[in-house]
Amino acid sequence: MTPTITAFASSPDRGAGLSRDMRVRWAFEEVGQSYNVRLVTFQQMKEPAHLALQPFGQIPTYEDGDLALFETGSILLHIAETHPGLLPDDADARARAITWMFAAVGTVEPPILELQTAKFAEGQESWREQRMPLVLDRIRVRLAELARRLGESEWLDGAFSAADIMMVHVLLRVKPSGLLDEFANLAAYCARAQARPAYQRAFAAQLAVATGG
Amino acid sequence: MTPTITAFASSPDRGAGLSRDMRVRWAFEEVGQSYNVRLVTFQQMKEPAHLALQPFGQIPTYEDGDLALFETGSILLHIAETHPGLLPDDADARARAITWMFAAVGTVEPPILELQTAKFAEGQESWREQRMPLVLDRIRVRLAELARRLGESEWLDGAFSAADIMMVHVLLRVKPSGLLDEFANLAAYCARAQARPAYQRAFAAQLAVATGG
C-alpha cells in the first residue's frame, strides 16, 4: 500500500524546505518508495480528525493501512526498518545511527527551536534585542560540539543514513540565521546532503506545493 | 557482559531523580539487567575521554563491549531490543511506542528545557519575571495536548513500555514548577509509574550516589 503523509497546505517557509515533512519526503526518495501527501490547513491541524493522528496538532503524520505514526524520527525509523538503505545492517552501527537520530531532535534541535520562539512568538517583546545573543550562543555551543565530532567525516557515522537526514534537516533550519556558515565542516556536510538526488526530488516536491505547481 | 553507564558524580538535583541516567537505570530495573555506573565530574564531562563517548559532554552514556551509545531514547531502544518487556511484540504497536519515545524528547521536553534555561542560565536577567509566564504557557500547551490524548488511559499506548519511561521522566522534570499538578490525569500517570518497583529501585540507586550511601 502507498503510505500517506500530511504536510502544510500553506507552508510558513513558502517552500524553502524547512518544514518537517521534508525529512519524510527525503527518506521516501532515498529508498524509492512512492507516497501520497494530504495537505492540511492550520485550522484542520487543530481539529479532532488531525489530532487523532497527531495529538500535538503538527505535521507530518504517516499512515499506512492501519498504522498511524507521527514524529519524524519515528517515521524515518519505521521506513528504515521496512526498506533497505537507510540504516546499517550491522547491529552496533545501526544502534549508533539511531543514537544520532535522537541527538538531532533531542539535543541539537531544542536550542534552534528556541531561536524560532525568540524571533516569532517573542519577536515584539522588549527583551528581544538584548536576549538574542544568548539564544544564538546556546546554538553555537551545540554546533561547535557537533562540528568537533564530525571533523572531516563525510557523514555522522560511516555510510549515509537516516541519522544524516534528521541532522542535516535540523541544521538547515538554522542556516537562515547565518550561524551554520560559522562552521565550515557543518555547512559542507549539509551541502553534500543537499546534493543528493533524493534530497533534490523531495525539495522539488514540497516546493511544488508552495508554488501551486 | 554487564553494561556500564555514566552519571553525575555530583547531581545538580541532589538525588531528586531528575537526571537523565534515571531513565536508563529504570529501564534496566524493568528488565532485570544489572549495570555498572561510572560517576563523572562536570570537569570530566568536558574532557576528551568523555567527549569521545558523548560529543555534547552530557550524561548518561552506555557502554557494552565495543558498543557505545548516548541519548536516553536510543539507549532505551537498544535495551528494549535486547531484552523482553520494554516494547510490544506486535510491529505496529512497537512503532507507535517508538513514536512516543521521540515525542517525549522532541516535542514535550523542549519547552521544559526552556524553563530550565529561563530559571538558571537567564535567572539574573532583567526580563526573567516578565518572560516567565510565556515560558510556562508554552509548557501548558504541550501538557494540555498530552493530557487530552492520555485521557483516562493507564499508559500512553496499551501496555507499559519504554515510551512511558521516557515520557514520565520528562514530565517529572516539570513537577517542581507545579505545572504538572494542573493536569490531574498526567499527575496520576506519573504517580502510577513512580509506584512501580523498578522505578523505586532505580530512584534509590541514584539517591544513594547523591547521599554517599
Side-chain angles (χ1 to χ4, degrees):
Chain A
M1 193 179 284
T2 305
T4 297
I5 67 170
T6 48
F8 289 125
S10 181
S11 181
D13 76 350
R14 299 165 185 254
L18 302 182
S19 297
R20 290 187 178 90
D21 57 290
M22 181 66 196
R23 300 174 192 174
V24 183
R25 292 174 184 272
W26 183 3
F28 279 139
E29 293 290 351
E30 290 283 351
V31 301
Q33 168 70 56
S34 61
Y35 59 99
N36 300 315
V37 180
R38 192 174 71 251
L39 301 178
V40 289
T41 64
F42 290 107
Q43 186 183 322
Q44 286 170 331
M45 288 165 64
K46 305 303 175 188
E47 291 174 354
H50 188 76
L51 291 172
L53 287 173
Q54 218 297 0
F56 304 102
Q58 300 171 328
I59 60 94
T61 56
Y62 169 101
E63 292 164 90
D64 189 10
D66 289 338
L67 178 62
L69 302 175
F70 58 99
E71 290 289 333
T72 53
S74 161
I75 296 169
L76 263 62
L77 188 52
H78 178 71
I79 297 171
E81 289 185 342
T82 50
H83 300 75
L86 283 182
L87 282 176
D89 292 329
D90 174 74
D92 284 4
R94 181 177 174 282
R96 288 194 304 269
I98 293 172
T99 282
W100 282 111
M101 293 175 73
F102 275 99
V105 294
T107 298
V108 179
E109 193 166 39
I112 295 173
L113 296 176
E114 266 209 74
L115 173 60
Q116 297 187 339
T117 300
K119 284 166 71 174
F120 301 109
E122 298 183 9
Q124 306 303 317
E125 302 291 349
S126 60
W127 56 79
R128 181 195 155 121
E129 289 303 313
Q130 211 185 337
R131 185 171 173 268
M132 191 60 81
L134 306 184
V135 175
L136 296 175
D137 277 347
R138 286 194 287 268
I139 298 175
R140 277 191 187 94
V141 168
R142 284 284 175 266
L143 295 185
E145 290 162 339
L146 182 65
R148 182 180 53 205
R149 168 54 69 99
L150 182 67
E152 296 308 310
S153 300
E154 190 173 12
W155 307 114
L156 284 172
D157 191 313
F160 178 86
S161 79
D164 296 296
I165 295 179
M166 294 296 292
M167 189 65 81
V168 165
H169 193 261
V170 164
L171 293 176
L172 288 176
R173 299 185 119 201
V174 87
K175 193 175 163 73
S177 71
L179 283 182
L180 184 62
D181 292 322
E182 295 180 15
F183 300 89
N185 66 335
L186 296 184
Y189 166 60
C190 289
R192 264 195 301 282
Q194 291 180 292
R196 294 176 73 86
Y199 176 93
Q200 295 183 3
R201 287 193 297 270
F203 185 88
Q206 61 82 41
L207 182 60
V209 174
T211 58
Chain B
M1 194 177 285
T2 304
T4 297
I5 66 169
T6 48
F8 290 124
S10 180
S11 181
D13 75 350
R14 298 164 186 257
L18 303 183
S19 297
R20 290 188 177 88
D21 57 290
M22 181 66 195
R23 300 174 191 173
V24 183
R25 293 175 184 272
W26 184 3
F28 279 139
E29 293 290 349
E30 290 283 351
V31 301
Q33 169 70 55
S34 61
Y35 60 99
N36 299 316
V37 180
R38 190 174 71 250
L39 302 177
V40 289
T41 63
F42 290 108
Q43 186 184 321
Q44 286 170 330
M45 288 166 64
K46 305 301 175 191
E47 290 174 354
H50 188 76
L51 290 173
L53 287 173
Q54 218 296 0
F56 304 101
Q58 300 171 329
I59 60 95
T61 56
Y62 170 100
E63 293 164 88
D64 189 9
D66 289 338
L67 178 62
L69 302 175
F70 58 98
E71 290 288 333
T72 54
S74 161
I75 296 170
L76 263 64
L77 188 52
H78 178 72
I79 297 171
E81 289 185 343
T82 50
H83 300 76
L86 283 183
L87 282 177
D89 292 330
D90 174 74
D92 283 4
R94 181 176 174 280
R96 288 195 303 270
I98 292 172
T99 282
W100 283 110
M101 293 175 73
F102 275 101
V105 294
T107 299
V108 179
E109 193 166 38
I112 295 173
L113 297 176
E114 267 208 74
L115 174 61
Q116 296 187 338
T117 300
K119 283 166 73 175
F120 301 107
E122 299 182 10
Q124 306 304 318
E125 302 292 348
S126 59
W127 55 78
R128 180 195 155 119
E129 290 303 312
Q130 210 185 336
R131 185 170 174 269
M132 191 60 81
L134 305 185
V135 175
L136 296 175
D137 277 347
R138 285 194 287 266
I139 298 175
R140 278 192 187 94
V141 168
R142 285 284 175 265
L143 296 185
E145 290 162 338
L146 182 66
R148 183 180 53 205
R149 168 55 67 100
L150 182 67
E152 296 308 310
S153 300
E154 190 173 12
W155 308 114
L156 285 172
D157 190 314
F160 178 86
S161 78
D164 296 296
I165 295 180
M166 294 295 292
M167 189 66 81
V168 165
H169 193 261
V170 164
L171 293 176
L172 288 175
R173 300 187 118 200
V174 86
K175 194 175 163 73
S177 70
L179 283 182
L180 185 63
D181 292 322
E182 295 180 15
F183 300 89
N185 67 335
L186 296 184
Y189 166 61
C190 289
R192 264 194 303 281
Q194 291 180 292
R196 294 176 73 87
Y199 176 91
Q200 296 183 3
R201 288 193 297 271
F203 185 88
Q206 61 82 40
L207 181 61
V209 174
T211 58

